[in-house]
Every structure is written in structure tokens, then in C-alpha cells.
Amino acid sequence: MELTKEVVKFGAVGGAGVFVNIAAFNIGRHFGHLPVVRASVIATLISIAFNYVGFRYFTYRDRKSEQHTKEISLFLGFSAIGLVIENSILYVATYGFGWDSTLQSNVFKFLGIGVATLFRFWSYRTWVFKALPSLPHDRPGPPPADVTGEYRHDARRR
């Protein structure tokens, strides 16, 4: 159940991040007259900043980190790998196959985001926003025994 909640929250932040990414990409490409991959890299950087705030303060807010510098460094490092994955797909489509119409660029941008998202989900939850170990009372099973050897729920009934 916890993984399901995490995936839903990750998806909510990620979905908003995809919107930011695609919007910034199209604005950069059409209004800024930037080359396709350059517009994409800039858009990805904007969405990385947006997503960090969403992940830290919404998706993984229960996973407090005492080492903010390490957390941000890991997030940026894994995000950079995701940036390369995402934009490599667009680069190959654009310069390898010559697919550079607006529709084609958006399709391959979206495909690149999808592939990179799989990597990012795994890396963020495994290395950046690690779950704290569960406390003994958080584990399933019978309640812990008190000093008399009786279970707590039995001791309260007296």
C-alpha cells in the first residue's frame, strides 16, 4: 500500500513536471527560436528544479534528510543522467532520423521523458529520498510484550 501511495504522489508531481517540461520546450522552440535539443535541455533543467520542490515537500516529505547537501547532490546527479536519457532519444530522432516537425519533436520528447522517468523513480526512491527504517511498533504482528511478559492489550484490560 505504501508503494502505491508513493507511486501516485510521484506521478502527480511528475505529471505536473511533464507539463512544465513540455510547455518550456515548446516556448523555447517556437518563441525563443532555439534548436530542438537545446530547447529540450533548458526545459528539462526547469522541470528538474520544479520536481525537486514537489518531491521534497510533497512526495517524500515524510523522509526527512539531515544531509541536505548530499540529498541535493544525488538528486542533481541522477537528474543529469535522466536528462541525458531523455534528450538522447530526442537527439537521435531529430538528427539521426530527421524527424523534427513540431509533432515529431513533441512525441520523442514525451517518449524520452517516459524512459527517463523509470530511471528517475528507481534512483530517487533508492538513493535520494531513502525511506527511514521502520520502528518496531510500525511492523505488522502482535503488539510487543511489556515487562511482565503480557501483551500490552491484555495489560490494559485489568
Side-chain angles (χ1 to χ4, degrees):
M1 184 63 164
E2 288 299 316
L3 180 61
T4 303
K5 284 174 42 179
E6 182 179 339
V7 169
V8 168
K9 287 181 173 183
F10 188 92
V13 172
V18 168
F19 176 79
V20 167
N21 196 333
I22 296 290
F25 169 65
N26 283 294
I27 289 168
R29 183 160 188 231
H30 297 291
F31 296 108
H33 305 289
L34 295 172
V36 174
V37 176
R38 187 175 306 155
S40 181
V41 168
I42 292 168
T44 303
L45 292 171
I46 292 168
S47 69
I48 286 170
F50 176 87
N51 286 347
Y52 178 77
V53 173
F55 292 141
R56 167 49 37 230
Y57 298 106
F58 178 67
T59 305
Y60 298 113
R61 71 174 173 244
D62 59 326
R63 299 181 186 185
K64 301 297 181 199
S65 173
E66 301 298 323
Q67 302 172 332
H68 295 291
T69 303
K70 181 180 177 184
E71 178 183 281
I72 291 172
S73 298
L74 286 170
F75 182 85
L76 291 175
F78 288 119
S79 294
I81 294 168
L83 181 145
V84 170
I85 293 168
E86 175 182 327
N87 290 290
S88 294
I89 291 170
L90 182 61
Y91 181 89
V92 169
T94 302
Y95 300 110
F97 295 104
W99 297 330
D100 63 351
S101 72
T102 300
L103 177 62
Q104 291 168 330
S105 294
N106 278 285
V107 166
F108 287 102
K109 172 75 172 161
F110 192 77
L111 180 64
I113 290 170
V115 173
T117 296
L118 297 173
F119 168 77
R120 288 178 179 129
F121 179 74
W122 170 80
S123 63
Y124 295 164
R125 78 181 310 265
T126 304
W127 299 102
V128 181
F129 303 108
K130 291 192 261 187
L132 298 173
S134 61
L135 299 173
H137 67 276
D138 291 340
R139 293 190 183 130
D146 65 11
V147 291
T148 64
E150 296 179 7
Y151 288 108
R152 286 188 188 151
H153 69 283
D154 293 337
R156 289 185 198 141
R157 290 185 185 164
R158 292 188 200 171

